[in-house]
Amino acid sequence: MTAGLWTHWVLPGIWITVQLTLYSAALATAVAFAVGTARTHSSRFVRFLAGLYTEIFRGTSALVLMFWLFFVMPSLFGWALVPMWAAVLALGLSYGAYGAEVVRGALNSVAPAQREAGIALNFSPWQRMRLILLPQAVPEMIPPFSNLLIELLKGTALVSLLGVADVSFAAYLVRLATQDSARIYSVTLVIYFVLAFVLARGMRALERRTKAGIGITATPGGAR
């Protein structure tokens, strides 16, 4: 692979993959916390709506949703999205549904006595969530969130089917130009591994920091 191919296709493709991952992860995180906390709401109707969202987006293909947003939505509603934002929206909504279950499970794992203490202190529901539940639940969310983030990184390869010039699309173009499939796809595997490794290490550092904030020491083996 020549320096020109690397400079003009692969490096920009890596940057687009990083952007897709960050934007989709930000949307997925917002969706996960909104829907996940709604699944623990006292209102049965709110829990039903949150559960319905989760089931719909966990049960649909992110790729098909991406195609629907890009090809179908303009004809139905007149809203046209550029391919990259259609991809971000599809990935964020899909992975946010999985993240919502992580949030719900972590919140429900907090000891009931902690909730009762907040009620005894006359905290509002928002104060109980912000001051008691989330500080204890967030450290438990980070390991499964780390797995979802890496899955999201790998899921960004789907955007190449919309013509978004991510690293997968760049690898395809380089293969067409050089007919050297082994080298370019081996390099692409290494690129995804390096990106995933950096994300995993960053999430591990975040886990240690959040656990230290509530007085828990995270050991390398995950024991407390």
Side-chain angles (χ1 to χ4, degrees):
M1 186 168 59
T2 65
L5 293 176
W6 178 265
T7 302
H8 294 295
W9 288 348
V10 178
L11 285 180
I14 294 173
W15 174 234
I16 289 177
T17 294
V18 170
Q19 291 183 80
L20 282 165
T21 303
L22 293 178
Y23 296 153
S24 300
L27 176 58
T29 301
V31 169
F33 275 93
V35 178
T37 54
R39 301 233 26 209
T40 65
H41 198 274
S42 58
S43 169
R44 187 173 182 178
F45 180 68
V46 172
R47 294 198 306 272
F48 169 77
L49 291 179
L52 181 64
Y53 173 90
T54 302
E55 294 304 323
I56 289 174
F57 283 92
R58 285 196 308 173
T60 55
S61 165
L63 177 60
V64 176
L65 177 60
M66 200 180 299
F67 286 160
W68 191 91
L69 290 171
F70 185 67
F71 294 112
V72 180
M73 194 169 71
S75 62
L76 291 180
F77 305 105
W79 301 337
L81 296 173
V82 298
M84 182 165 180
W85 292 115
V88 167
L89 190 57
L91 292 172
L93 293 176
S94 296
Y95 283 88
Y98 290 101
E101 285 299 283
V102 173
V103 173
R104 181 191 63 80
L107 289 174
N108 286 338
S109 70
V110 177
Q114 298 291 323
R115 301 172 185 267
E116 294 166 3
I119 295 173
L121 292 171
N122 202 29
F123 283 176
S124 67
W126 167 242
Q127 287 176 317
R128 293 197 299 272
M129 180 66 68
R130 182 173 60 89
L131 300 175
I132 299 177
L133 301 180
L134 284 178
Q136 297 180 70
V138 166
E140 304 303 322
M141 299 177 194
I142 293 177
F145 270 168
S146 179
N147 290 333
L148 281 178
L149 182 59
I150 293 172
E151 287 298 319
L152 174 58
L153 166 67
K154 294 184 288 186
T156 59
L158 297 174
V159 306
S160 61
L161 297 176
L162 291 181
V164 179
D166 72 319
V167 68
S168 297
F169 190 76
Y172 172 72
L173 294 179
V174 171
R175 186 187 69 82
L176 290 180
T178 64
Q179 299 300 310
D180 187 357
S181 301
R183 182 177 302 178
I184 182 55
Y185 284 122
S186 297
V187 170
T188 304
L189 285 175
V190 172
I191 290 170
Y192 276 109
F193 170 77
V194 170
L195 292 175
F197 182 79
V198 171
L199 290 176
R201 297 302 295 176
M203 293 295 285
R204 182 61 178 160
L206 180 61
E207 181 186 0
R208 288 196 299 269
R209 183 174 180 179
T210 56
K211 286 188 174 181
I214 59 173
I216 299 175
T217 301
T219 63
R224 297 180 181 179

